[in-house]
Amino acid sequence: MSEHDLLLESADAHFNGERFFNPPCYRPDEHLSPKTAPERARNIFRWQMGLRPRWPDALPPTAMYPLPSPKPGECVTTFINHATVLLQFGRKERQPLRIITDPIFSERCSPFRNMGPKRVREPGLPLNALPPIDIILVSHCHYDHLDLPTLRHLAGRDDPLCISFPGNRRHLEKAGLPRIVELDWWESLNVDGACITATPALHGSARTPFDSNRALWGSFMIEADDHRVFFAGDTAWGKHFDVIRQRCGVPDLALIPIGAYAPRDLMRRVHMCPEEAVKTFEALGTNNAIGIHFNTFQLTDEGILEPAGRLKIAMHHHAGRFEVLDNGESRTLPPPRTSR
């Protein structure tokens, strides 16, 4: 059996009956002894109690960008903030299909109103200015990705379908979302002319100290109107990107996290640095990528401008385009020359 076949076969094992876990076959550092949960918790506590560099309390507001409306066959991608991206797929004689990823518009990513990481940059589009949303994708249940106040607003306004992973329904139901679908890795859902496939990520989950890894995390491949867009969610670097490309094909556009990576000894198992994000870009085989998961909430120790600068250096000799957008800035994929 080939290495590829072994990866596909063993990747299906990511649940032990009580908790989800990252398959060792996806980890490039699988030869290292994984830290136990108590060890990791102690290390994180010591890190958080130490002296840490601080970002500015707030950055000046950026330019206001117009929100393009896609023409038939186009895909308009708008970076809003953090891992929140609006995807608009233009359709003939119909309203665009609008999908939003991990929407967060709250002032803090925290269970507390007055404590926890506070945003330093405003969303590129106000919540009440969002066009009607058809589908919400939620990659996992961490507070900077599953934001209940934002989800409640969208649930009450738009009647959207929410797609996430097993174990997240109990959190999402608190937002009053009318329709929730949980997909395990490699499962697909055809809805409204689009195909959404749940794909792996290397991460973890928790919303309290007592529910670690009780819900699954992941990424998504979105296929709509002959475009293929990959949303990586929140993930470490790993071999799963090769398998995603082999199973789902090369995306026309990839949304890849580039921030929350320092200190590396603590973060390397859950978050990518910019150089690893470029390796992801290469593994997926795409020619277009947009950086996400940076420059909004200070979650880790790298400087606020560091991810974008390191990404630019890492991409210096690449012919493809892997760029950082301002909050509210958009890019348009033209209609494909031929249908898939």
Side-chain angles (χ1 to χ4, degrees), residues 137-324:
L137 302 180
V138 176
S139 65
H140 64 297
C141 67
H142 285 156
Y143 284 89
D144 57 322
H145 295 261
L146 194 162
D147 180 48
L148 287 175
T150 298
L151 294 173
R152 286 191 188 103
H153 178 93
L154 295 176
R157 193 193 71 168
D158 296 337
D159 189 37
L161 170 68
C162 183
I163 304 175
S164 191
F165 295 88
N168 289 302
R169 179 184 296 274
R170 61 194 175 94
H171 305 302
L172 296 166
E173 286 177 340
K174 297 174 184 177
L177 287 158
R179 293 175 292 149
I180 300 168
V181 173
E182 294 181 325
L183 296 179
D184 206 342
W185 291 352
W186 308 121
E187 292 181 341
S188 296
L189 177 70
N190 291 292
V191 55
D192 210 358
C195 179
I196 312 293
T197 300
T199 48
L202 293 181
H203 201 55
S205 70
R207 283 181 80 83
T208 74
F210 312 106
D211 66 345
S212 176
N213 295 347
R214 296 285 187 179
L216 185 59
W217 48 91
S219 54
F220 294 96
M221 188 71 81
I222 305 148
E223 296 182 76
D225 293 285
D226 294 321
H227 288 290
R228 187 180 289 138
V229 179
F230 177 63
F231 169 56
D234 207 352
T235 180
W237 159 251
K239 299 175 182 177
H240 59 299
F241 295 116
D242 294 313
V243 184
I244 289 169
R245 175 181 177 177
Q246 291 160 356
R247 282 199 170 192
C248 300
V250 174
D252 302 301
L253 173 69
L255 309 174
I256 302 174
I258 63 170
Y261 51 78
R264 289 307 286 150
D265 60 332
L266 288 178
M267 297 299 154
R268 63 195 291 264
R269 287 183 171 272
V270 290
H271 291 150
M272 293 190 287
C273 65
E275 293 78 13
E276 290 170 328
V278 172
K279 290 171 65 177
T280 298
F281 177 82
E282 295 168 342
L284 292 170
T286 185
N287 289 317
N288 295 284
I290 293 172
I292 61 171
H293 202 264
F294 73 106
N295 212 16
T296 304
F297 303 100
Q298 182 171 14
L299 305 175
T300 48
D301 287 356
E302 72 273 5
I304 190 169
L305 301 179
E306 183 180 308
R310 284 176 59 170
L311 177 65
K312 185 175 181 179
I313 293 170
M315 283 294 295
H316 181 66
H317 295 294
H318 278 270
R321 184 170 68 176
F322 188 170
E323 59 185 330
V324 166

Side-chain angles (χ1 to χ4, degrees), residues 26-95:
Y26 283 163
R27 285 204 174 277
D29 55 359
E30 59 187 294
H31 60 283
L32 299 178
S33 298
K35 289 181 169 56
T36 65
E39 286 175 323
R40 182 171 173 78
R42 285 194 295 271
N43 289 342
I44 291 175
F45 179 77
R46 284 195 292 266
W47 162 60
Q48 291 179 334
M49 293 300 101
L51 293 176
R52 300 174 58 195
R54 303 306 306 174
W55 287 7
D57 290 336
L59 294 181
T62 57
M64 293 298 293
Y65 294 89
L67 180 64
S69 183
K71 299 175 183 177
E74 291 182 342
C75 173
V76 174
T77 303
T78 303
F79 177 65
I80 295 175
N81 66 185
H82 202 53
T84 306
V85 178
L86 174 65
L87 299 167
Q88 300 184 86
F89 296 91
R91 301 185 287 187
K92 293 180 180 179
E93 300 178 357
R94 298 177 65 188
Q95 290 294 317

Side-chain angles (χ1 to χ4, degrees), residues 120-141:
V120 300
R121 298 190 71 203
E122 291 302 310
L125 193 68
L127 181 56
N128 58 12
L130 268 183
I133 301 300
D134 300 296
I135 299 173
I136 300 171
L137 302 180
V138 176
S139 65
H140 64 297
C141 67

